[in-house]
Amino acid sequence: MSFLHCQNWRFEGYSAQTDGRPEGVEKAITVQPSNYETHFIGRVHFNFLCENSPIGPAIVSYYEENGLYRIIIRTNKGQSYYTATKLQVAQKQNFFSWLFFLDPTVNDLVSLFEEQLASSEFFLMKYIESPSLNSAPSSPASSPSLNHLSITPSPSSPCTSSVSPPSASSLSSTSSPNLSKKFGGSSTRIGKLEGELLQLDRPNFDKKYKFGLVYCSPNQTGESEMLGNVHASREFQEFLEFIGRPVQLQGFPHFDGGLDVKNNLTGTSSVYTIWREAEVMWHVNTLLPFLSADKQHLERKKHIGNDRVVVVFRDSSAINSPFSPDIFRSKQNHIIALVEPTQTNQDNAFILQDPTQTSNVGSTTTTTTPTNSPSQNQIESQEQNTTTTSEQPQETKYYRFSVATKDTVPAYGPILHPPSIYSKDQSFLDLFFEKLTSGVDATSWSTEFKLLMDLYYRKQFGEIVKKYSKPKP
């Protein structure tokens, strides 16, 4: 058995009860990428800034392709995406520009949708290279996919609203050498400015995740019981080795997930993972500090209670009893994933990996290692002994994997279908991390985090405007 159905949760995978609802049939909808990510990244486009207008600062991104203009207008209150045909734009141009087939100005474009910006002064946003990036920008010749996205006007003659932007062929590449991203299966280099604009839409664009991981021993049914675990089973230790590597926290130089890496105040070790382009730090209940006098285990709850995704691992001896996600009371916990080891596949396990391929059990996926992420070879492994049992049970061959998500979180993929029993191999590891990372991204659009997203947007927008504004005389 797996999850016990509760109100305000939806379930995927192997469930104990259905309450009349079919299992694992939620429509496979993922959180849609932003319009900027979908339509602009990978294409030459223009980013204009207006420092002062009747509606405050504004950032406009646009380009033309096959007679269609795509435009994003960002203000402190949010952003809007528009399209316009050449004919529609021509109606806003003055007669002289129309007669001589001049390209429309940014004011011509925004006047179609925001009249208050029509007479405002815009200038091309200058790419500001970080002092730590000493690499020279690549040239268009070395970037055949037109990944030169940022636009650098001449400092002596910034482009204003009365001047049409230069043609795409005249632009030089200013892609940051340390920013890259997978889009549509191909690698696209992203300029510093473009990365910042993407972060307006996707707070976790830098792909750093922290997950809670709770060991649940047999017969435990309450949150305090689980958070109070000091030791764990051999099966749990095996799972830790499967999903990541143990690391010493003191002096750890990479993503720490909020753990103390100076004074060991949050324990001496944890589990760290690199999956594709993502860094993952695990908050493991048995590795966080334990205080016997603290019956509520606040030191552990401080981390796990603030994780949007919590993975619960139950020993194979406990899988016959249903598990309720309601035992976690934190308002931050929006997704509860349940992992249960099993020795048999019951003749219906999902074998995701091609049997002709060699499985890579026990190591972390490094399908794509970004230039700004540490490699697994840089991380020193250490021996972690949280096992109290002297017996060495048979190694796990399969995992039952199911997920409970609060109703306020939009649907996200990949969808799990019953019986949701998977062979322990690299393909399951990919499915596991894809589900968890997609889930974290989806929680940002839940009603509980909407206010937080709005505050984040306004803060980031203000910082971008301040950074790229023209120096005051």
Side-chain angles (χ1 to χ4, degrees):
M1 293 187 182
S2 188
F3 280 115
L4 180 67
H5 273 290
C6 306
Q7 287 186 342
N8 304 320
W9 294 83
R10 65 176 187 271
F11 301 87
E12 298 176 46
Y14 192 97
S15 293
Q17 299 177 12
T18 64
D19 286 344
R21 292 174 288 178
E23 301 175 48
V25 296
E26 287 86 353
K27 190 175 181 181
I29 300 174
T30 58
V31 177
Q32 295 299 312
S34 68
N35 287 306
Y36 189 67
E37 177 180 332
T38 302
H39 300 295
F40 285 75
I41 296 302
R43 294 178 173 87
V44 174
H45 60 276
F46 305 97
N47 294 310
F48 279 83
L49 172 63
C50 172
E51 297 180 68
N52 297 291
S53 79
I55 58 175
I59 297 174
V60 177
S61 302
Y62 79 90
Y63 71 94
E64 181 269 330
E65 185 177 65
N66 298 325
L68 184 69
Y69 285 90
R70 297 186 187 274
I71 306 147
I72 295 179
I73 300 177
R74 305 174 185 85
T75 66
N76 192 49
K77 295 182 179 180
Q79 55 185 292
S80 299
Y81 168 71
Y82 305 99
T83 59
T85 64
K86 276 192 172 182
L87 179 59
Q88 291 173 313
V89 175
Q91 294 173 352
K92 286 291 184 178
Q93 290 183 275
N94 60 49
F95 178 77
F96 179 81
S97 298
W98 176 82
L99 182 63
F100 289 95
F101 301 100
L102 298 180
D103 290 334
T105 67
V106 63
N107 296 75
D108 293 332
L109 296 172
V110 299
S111 63
L112 284 168
F113 313 104
E114 289 285 352
E115 283 291 343
Q116 292 177 299
L117 294 174
S119 59
S120 299
E121 180 182 0
F122 287 85
F123 63 91
L124 273 168
M125 299 176 71
K126 184 178 179 180
Y127 170 71
I128 300 177
E129 188 175 33
S130 170
S132 63
L133 304 179
N134 297 319
S135 302
S138 58
S139 64
S142 63
S143 303
S145 58
L146 295 180
N147 295 325
H148 43 291
L149 304 179
S150 295
I151 301 166
T152 308
S154 170
S156 59
S157 58
C159 184
T160 64
S161 59
S162 60
V163 181
S164 298
S167 64
S169 60
S170 67
L171 302 179
S172 62
S173 171
T174 53
S175 294
S176 167
N178 283 350
L179 285 175
S180 63
K181 175 69 182 167
K182 281 281 197 176
F183 289 97
S186 61
S187 181
T188 298
R189 298 188 68 81
I190 299 175
K192 181 75 171 178
L193 170 59
E194 279 62 47
E196 292 169 340
L197 292 177
L198 272 176
Q199 286 181 332
L200 286 174
D201 306 324
R202 294 172 48 184
N204 203 30
F205 171 72
D206 56 355
K207 294 299 178 184
K208 291 178 171 59
Y209 298 90
K210 57 186 184 73
F211 300 132
L213 179 54
V214 176
Y215 169 66
C216 174
S217 64
N219 302 320
Q220 287 187 333
T221 58
E223 180 184 31
S224 295
E225 289 179 297
M226 299 177 197
L227 293 180
N229 285 329
V230 178
H231 304 291
S233 66
R234 176 66 183 86
E235 289 177 317
F236 183 64
Q237 180 65 24
E238 185 184 321
F239 181 68
L240 291 181
E241 295 169 357
F242 178 61
I243 64 171
R245 291 191 177 189
V247 294
Q248 294 283 358
L249 287 177
Q250 191 167 33
F252 185 66
H254 309 303
F255 176 62
D256 56 36
L259 299 176
D260 178 43
V261 295
K262 293 183 178 180
N263 303 306
N264 286 337
L265 297 179
T266 56
T268 60
S269 63
S270 189
V271 176
Y272 174 82
T273 306
I274 296 176
W275 177 73
R276 295 181 179 172
E277 296 182 344
E279 290 185 76
V280 177
M281 179 60 78
W282 293 92
H283 296 156
V284 187
N285 64 330
T286 57
L287 299 179
L288 291 168
F290 173 78
L291 302 175
S292 57
D294 181 11
K295 301 303 181 183
Q296 294 183 335
H297 309 292
L298 297 179
E299 187 62 33
R300 293 180 168 184
K301 192 178 294 186
K302 179 174 66 176
H303 296 283
I304 296 175
N306 281 299
D307 291 325
R308 299 187 186 186
V309 175
V310 175
V311 178
V312 177
F313 182 92
R314 293 205 304 176
D315 285 336
S316 56
S317 58
I319 63 176
N320 289 325
S321 58
F323 185 89
S324 172
D326 276 341
I327 67 171
F328 292 96
R329 300 294 184 182
S330 172
K331 294 182 179 179
Q332 302 293 319
N333 300 153
H334 278 55
I335 299 173
I336 307 297
L338 193 59
V339 176
E340 301 164 313
T342 178
Q343 300 300 332
T344 60
N345 72 351
Q346 301 176 354
D347 298 323
N348 54 11
F350 290 104
I351 310 298
L352 297 176
Q353 190 174 31
D354 186 339
T356 62
Q357 298 177 355
T358 303
S359 65
N360 190 24
V361 176
S363 63
T364 305
T365 306
T366 53
T367 305
T368 303
T369 304
T371 56
N372 61 334
S373 295
S375 72
Q376 291 286 15
N377 293 332
Q378 294 175 305
I379 305 167
E380 297 183 1
S381 299
Q382 66 160 336
E383 293 294 329
Q384 292 292 336
N385 183 16
T386 57
T387 306
T388 58
T389 58
S390 58
E391 296 184 12
Q392 296 297 325
Q394 184 180 359
E395 184 177 352
T396 302
K397 294 183 179 180
Y398 303 96
Y399 286 115
R400 180 179 288 124
F401 179 45
S402 48
V403 174
T405 305
K406 286 187 176 179
D407 284 340
T408 56
V409 179
Y412 57 97
I415 299 299
L416 307 179
H417 297 280
S420 204
I421 300 174
Y422 302 92
S423 177
K424 180 187 175 184
D425 55 30
Q426 193 67 49
S427 295
F428 167 63
L429 203 61
D430 287 339
L431 172 72
F432 176 74
F433 278 112
E434 185 176 359
K435 187 65 177 175
L436 300 188
T437 55
S438 297
V440 170
D441 294 340
T443 60
S444 296
W445 306 102
S446 66
T447 54
E448 291 86 348
F449 291 109
K450 183 63 169 63
L451 177 60
L452 183 63
M453 284 285 290
D454 291 342
L455 293 174
Y456 172 86
Y457 174 88
R458 287 195 291 270
K459 178 176 180 294
Q460 287 293 107
F461 180 82
E463 290 178 354
I464 293 174
V465 170
K466 180 179 179 181
K467 180 176 181 178
Y468 291 95
S469 293
K470 292 187 294 186
K472 298 295 187 291

